[in-house]
Amino acid sequence: MSSVSSFGQKEEWGTIDVPKRMDWWIGASVGTTWSFADNAPSSNLGKNFPSFDFQLGTFFTRAFGVRFGASVARQSGEADAMAKELDPEKYGSSYRFYLMHAYADGVLDLTTLFAPRRKYRPKVDVMVFAGPALIEALHFDMKLKEWDEYPVDYQDKTCWSFHAGLTTAYRFSSHWDWAFEASYNITESRYDGVEENASLSGFLKFHTGFVYHIYDRRDKNRYRLTTDIDSEWAPRYTEKDREKVLQEERERIKKARKEMDKRRATKSERIRQHNEDVKKANEQIRKNKEKRVKDWEEKKKYNEILY
């Protein structure tokens, strides 16, 4: 990261499009979870706040990349309705536990696919992601020891998971994004501490936070300037090379101007020839008209003599 800063500050005469590094980014966000488990109902959305998430990712191409992340989520569980009716004083309260969530995702940038040109690229990135995850449910509330007749296992447990979702990121600088993410996580039903009839359950995650791009694939900061200290991995560009590039550009512009002048001359000649043809056609029409008038007058005189 320190080398990135040094290259980014030494800008002598512009950015040279040399082989680029991958776009690495780090992110941090805060949010909540919306559970669909029988003993961690969705009504506990507010009780499950806050949830913290941290990410590290990279793009191999302009549109596809991977990311690795970890989150810790506060969770709230409850007894079922039948237990609350039997003993509301005992089972009326909720119990606490935490989810440690580690995941690895493949990321596809839809904005890059449909708006690849930087000139027309919007400031909003829409990305989809999916991948496996590992969930650790731990630190169950010790009040569960009092629920001796209710089947809550308050021992720590590890569950496999698969999740997929959508991220929307707004770029407000060359390196910083503000992002909102929503994902659905499918996991084992026992993650809330209760063995259910269904083998699978799940929960939604909603997070918002900031992302810092070490190398931004949408900005010139993704490209390194070639200087003397870059000579180990990139060709060295001297003042002579720069002058050569400028001379080639001047020749290209000169050639383009000649071609444009040639096209203009050709167009002017075509217009002149067209005007000449129109003029000749009009002259021929005039002569034909005068001839018809003359013939008509002669015919009229002949008729007057005849009658």
Side-chain angles (χ1 to χ4, degrees):
M1 293 175 62
S2 60
S3 63
V4 174
S5 300
S6 62
F7 286 119
Q9 295 169 1
K10 189 173 180 59
E11 188 169 340
E12 295 181 352
W13 60 277
T15 305
I16 301 174
D17 200 12
V18 296
K20 54 195 175 187
R21 292 186 173 185
M22 293 184 293
D23 173 21
W24 286 92
W25 82 85
I26 54 177
S29 59
V30 63
T32 186
T33 60
W34 187 355
S35 178
F36 295 97
D38 288 346
N39 290 79
S42 57
S43 59
N44 289 342
L45 181 64
K47 296 180 181 180
N48 293 342
F49 181 86
S51 172
F52 300 98
D53 188 88
F54 305 93
Q55 299 175 3
L56 172 66
T58 181
F59 274 89
F60 296 114
T61 67
R62 288 182 60 84
F64 178 75
V66 296
R67 69 174 188 174
F68 305 92
S71 65
V72 54
R74 185 181 180 183
Q75 296 291 295
S76 177
E78 299 178 1
D80 57 25
M82 183 178 297
K84 291 179 181 179
E85 290 179 1
L86 291 175
D87 194 344
E89 182 178 354
K90 183 177 182 179
Y91 298 112
S93 61
S94 59
Y95 62 89
R96 295 285 185 189
F97 66 101
Y98 292 88
L99 289 182
M100 301 293 292
H101 190 202
Y103 54 87
D105 295 332
V107 182
L108 182 64
D109 191 334
L110 301 180
T111 305
T112 298
L113 290 179
F114 296 104
R117 297 183 62 182
R118 188 187 309 168
K119 181 178 179 181
Y120 306 107
R121 185 184 182 89
K123 286 190 174 183
V124 177
D125 262 349
V126 179
M127 295 171 282
V128 293
F129 59 87
L134 188 65
I135 293 178
E136 183 79 12
L138 68 167
H139 295 313
F140 283 84
D141 200 327
M142 287 298 101
K143 72 172 61 176
L144 294 178
K145 290 184 177 181
E146 302 175 2
W147 295 10
D148 50 355
E149 297 179 0
Y150 196 80
V152 178
D153 180 11
Y154 51 86
Q155 300 297 320
D156 297 350
K157 48 189 64 65
T158 302
C159 306
W160 285 100
S161 170
F162 180 85
H163 72 159
L166 180 73
T167 297
T168 302
Y170 174 76
R171 173 169 53 96
F172 58 87
S173 74
S174 61
H175 287 284
W176 286 97
D177 292 350
W178 174 77
F180 175 80
E181 179 178 307
S183 64
Y184 185 75
N185 300 261
I186 301 175
T187 185
E188 300 176 41
S189 62
R190 63 187 181 92
Y191 83 91
D192 61 346
V194 181
E195 295 284 352
E196 302 173 5
N197 294 329
S199 59
L200 295 177
S201 185
F203 58 91
L204 280 169
K205 283 177 60 179
F206 300 99
H207 277 256
T208 183
F210 295 95
V211 176
Y212 177 76
H213 290 265
I214 302 173
Y215 286 93
D216 194 335
R217 68 191 184 283
R218 300 157 301 187
D219 193 80
K220 68 180 182 180
N221 295 305
R222 179 139 191 235
Y223 299 86
R224 298 207 329 179
L225 295 177
T226 53
T227 58
D228 290 344
I229 55 179
D230 293 316
S231 57
E232 295 182 358
W233 69 279
R236 182 179 302 179
Y237 287 82
T238 63
E239 188 66 26
K240 184 178 180 181
D241 297 326
R242 177 196 172 192
E243 186 61 32
K244 182 179 178 180
V245 172
L246 294 177
Q247 182 62 30
E248 290 177 354
E249 182 67 15
R250 285 192 290 266
E251 291 293 333
R252 186 188 65 80
I253 295 175
K254 186 177 179 181
K255 183 178 179 181
R257 286 178 177 174
K258 288 183 178 180
E259 184 66 23
M260 186 178 295
D261 292 340
K262 183 179 179 180
R263 291 180 180 178
R264 287 177 179 174
T266 303
K267 185 177 180 180
S268 299
E269 179 63 23
R270 289 178 180 176
I271 293 174
R272 189 192 63 79
Q273 185 64 38
H274 174 73
N275 292 337
E276 289 290 335
D277 295 340
V278 171
K279 185 177 180 181
K280 291 180 180 180
N282 291 335
E283 182 67 22
Q284 186 64 35
I285 292 172
R286 187 186 62 81
K287 290 180 179 181
N288 292 338
K289 184 177 179 180
E290 291 178 353
K291 183 179 180 181
R292 287 197 300 271
V293 171
K294 185 177 180 181
D295 293 342
W296 181 80
E297 290 178 351
E298 291 180 356
K299 186 175 181 180
K300 183 179 179 182
K301 290 179 181 180
Y302 175 78
N303 289 336
E304 289 175 354
I305 294 173
L306 182 64
Y307 293 104

